Amino acid sequence: MVEITIRKRPRTEAVVTQHKFLKKTARGKVIKVLRERYLRDDVACGIQGCPVCDMPAEDVLPVAGDKEHPMFPNGHFILPDTNVFLSQMDLIESSLFTPPIILLQTVIEEVRHRSLPLYNRLKALTKMDDKRVWVFYNEYRSETAIVREEDETPNDRNDRGIRSATSWYSAHITLAHPPVRGRVSEKVPTIVLLTEDAANREKAERSGISAISVRNYVNKMKNATQLLDLLSATGTNELEPTRASSGGRAALYSDYLSTSTLLAGIKSGILHQGHFNANQYNYLEGSVSVAAFDKSVLLVGRENMNRAVDGDVVVVEIFDEKEWRASTNEVVDQDATLKNDDAEASGDDGEELDTNSLVDEESKLVRNGAKTVGTERQPTGRIVGIIKRNWRAYVCHIDSTSLSTATSTSLALQTVFATPVSRLLPRIRLRTRQAPILLGQKILVTIDRWDAHSRYPEGHFVRALGKAETKEAEQESLLLEFDVPYRPFGKAILDCLPKEGDQWVVPLKQDVSKEWRDREDLRELIICSIDPPNCQDIDDALHARQLPNGNIEAGVHIADVSHFVLPDNPMDSEAASRGTTVYLVDKRIDMLPSLLGTNLCSLRPFVERLAFSAIWEMTPTAEIVNVRFTKSVIASKAAFTYAEAQTRKDDPNLNDPLTQSIRLLNTLALKLKEKRMAAGALNLASPEVKIHLDSSESSEPIDVEQKELHETNSLVEEFMLLANISVARKIQDTFPQTAVLRRHLPPPKANFEKLQDILQKRKGMTLDVSSSGTLAASLDKCVDPAEPAFNTLVRIMATRCMLSAEYFCSGSVGRETFGHYGLASPIYTHFTSPIRRYADVLAHRQLAASIGYTPLHATLHSKSHVERILDVVNRRHRMAQMAGRASVEFYVGLALKGRGEREKKDGQGHVRESAFVIRTFRNGLGVFVSKLGIEGLVMFKRDTQFDPDNYTITVPGAGGDVHIAVFDKIVVDIEVEKDKNTQRGKINMTLVEPVDSRAL
């Protein structure tokens, strides 16, 4: 019989092994938590060949560490503390930064507590192939575990724990280099504590620990010139980083209120919280939407915007109502106004005289804006605090005028301006030794801080993306600008794919296989897909056939992605992180590996594929008799483009089963759409254009035209909507607390006030926004017989007044808010595109569970988990849409540039197009070129007569004054030019008719 020894932990060890703390529950109750910590003496050090530790064969640190640093000729390992990862992650991630790193458990947990995005980057760092990182669980090693002392702060306790682990490593490393009799003693590598905390360094040095600051460490490295540029600005990254070194200068901005004061003010209703939105036309104005007011709070001037950056969560104080005013109807360009500003003189150590001259100029612009008359007064206020910064890495250009003449070609350290690609962002002051090299390139810059004495935020260089205007650099900068994950799929993700690779096929039916379990065999059905040209990731296919009872069977068959993407494995986690496939003009960033997206899951013709089918029995008038959902195996008979399907449907000589199926589907779709529109669905519009590329290989754009829509576009759309609505009802009935749904909230009526006023005053038309039905009816009446494109323009403008649709968890909101305003449906979800949308994958899993095919994974029973996932998916979806639009804009610009050059060679001058006026300013016009789907500004340098109430501007013409108003049709010359200083491509528009603006 095996002898069992029971050992009782001595009571004296409890102080080390037990962790006691108080925790407040969601209901406000305070509970005491006691956690047991089991200490061990076999937690490995990670150093190769250590005779004491039982080391694995891989993932170890080299025995001699790194010998390339001149300060540590015997070799060394670095042990960074928490602040290094919080402030210098760009440096640590750089491929030029290669010393072996010991990463403590204490540091990992503190980073996770302080910043979840940085924690995710830290986790990724440990898996990088070009990094040597060993995670040491110091809190579970008996010699390095510590307990918090009385009156010791958590931060001091963690610093002491880091020093304790460094001391242990320094002693332990000698065991990896034992003395050998008869040989010269081997040099022992140094364990170097890397810390930005001067007090921590001082305590470490008193204890005999080798400690150094990041800057001093990097200064001696062989790639110091490049690596020093990666260092964040010195100082803290707290929300109020006012430096004592400001020399008594008056602050340009007021200090932020303390966090406790902000929260108390918000709770009492004195202060208001919201997202800061920069004004794309006027850099001296911004706004914050808050729940207490129908209209957003207007912030006028730098002082009132108080260092906020677009997207920051801010707290505002509202001014007295007598100070409320209308937004300035004037274009104020940041680049033009600040073109003579000196980067060296714009920070804490700059000349006050230079700063004051610019402050005076900006104050004058603000005062001129205050003279704006009009009825659209809105609340005004100022920012008194920041709840959450939206700082990240931004794509920028170096402004050549900010380089000092004396150092314009040298690699001396100098301060320059980095101008972000987005016009919603302020210039960033940057200290770099590589300025001459970086001119003409797109670079990545991170904001580090914005002091109260500095006109601009300060940041640091991250990396160069390539020469501006090259497609590779533009494409990568676009993906970075909109935070699109584009890293290659890793080995762990690819290991989740079928082992057969592209040789995988649906097994024979007689075989006993999991693929055929509880699946319907629909291979004999006449099924086809209808998609845009060159579509490779075919999510959906359709069929329709006449039933003996006179009804019609219609089916939507969706790729069964959930069969291949299993819950909670690496591929599922990556898909959840990416959220959606991103479509650019000449590139697709897939949510799933291409083996699935364009092959095994894609419903290609003439091959058997696994599907999830929704099948309805419908009357000839499109009344639903019943619907059923089933896993299936299908074999599509054809893959059509919209145009090909339209041609087949319209060809009177064709009457084969496939053509009959398309015609049946189209007949039902027309009736489904008629019912939707009668229920109040909106027929909105967005500017969509088609880019003609020279060839699939060159991807050179040669022309732009509006997308042509066919009846078959609507056919597919109606059946996808029907499938999504039917699935939404099913999963909501089965899982009322965690169903993955999508809603579109009704827009606030205030959103439409300006559009209503413009339509009434300029066209005598009324827009009724009391419901989606009345809005749809009003939009149908907005017709100008002389201008067919006018109705589309109004629909585009109405679309911009809407709120964005969003995914949500059914148990998180009230049942009355489930509806989709635009579709006039009481419930909705996304089910039909699981290859490219992760929300659809979740809906598939819930639908499979609701029909009893598979049990629902535990994570989809957790409301909090579903909420977290959908928060990410919503953000990714928004960013993917913006990235797609930006890609189109870039290629439209390239096409226009090429077209302009061709027309100049032919002696025709600029590209000339008709456009609509969509906005009037005191000094210009906002115009929309419908043929190209682009917006632009026509600027006037001379004074004009501006009537904001009637949306009219009066300019002098050859035969007298010319009145131009919103909705007027004009003719513009379009030219794409590159800014000489910032290297940014810019579309310039010049008014040609009714008056030539070059004379203005």
Side-chain angles (χ1 to χ4, degrees), residues 145-184:
I146 65 168
V147 293
R148 183 176 167 187
E149 296 176 349
E150 190 175 354
D151 298 328
E152 188 178 39
T153 66
N155 184 63
D156 288 343
R157 181 261 178 208
N158 290 337
D159 285 347
R160 186 163 58 86
I162 292 168
R163 292 195 301 273
S164 173
T166 310
S167 294
W168 177 85
Y169 254 104
S170 297
H172 180 82
I173 198 171
T174 58
L175 301 177
H177 300 265
V180 178
R181 182 176 295 179
R183 294 185 186 176
V184 178

Side-chain angles (χ1 to χ4, degrees), residues 845-865:
R845 290 173 182 163
Q846 291 183 333
L847 183 62
S850 69
I851 64 173
Y853 183 81
T854 52
L856 189 64
H857 192 266
T859 55
L860 288 179
H861 283 296
S862 166
K863 188 166 70 172
S864 61
H865 176 81

Side-chain angles (χ1 to χ4, degrees), residues 7-15 17-18 36:
R7 300 178 62 190
K8 190 173 181 180
R9 190 191 303 276
R11 188 179 294 273
T12 54
E13 288 186 12
V15 67
T17 59
Q18 291 181 357
E36 191 77 6

Side-chain angles (χ1 to χ4, degrees), residues 597-612:
T598 61
N599 190 346
L600 305 188
C601 290
S602 184
L603 303 183
R604 295 174 169 182
F606 318 119
V607 291
E608 296 175 0
R609 286 290 181 252
L610 304 181
F612 209 151

Side-chain angles (χ1 to χ4, degrees), residues 824-838:
S825 175
I827 194 168
Y828 192 67
T829 192
H830 271 164
F831 163 77
T832 53
S833 297
I835 291 177
R836 61 186 179 90
R837 292 188 306 228
Y838 187 70

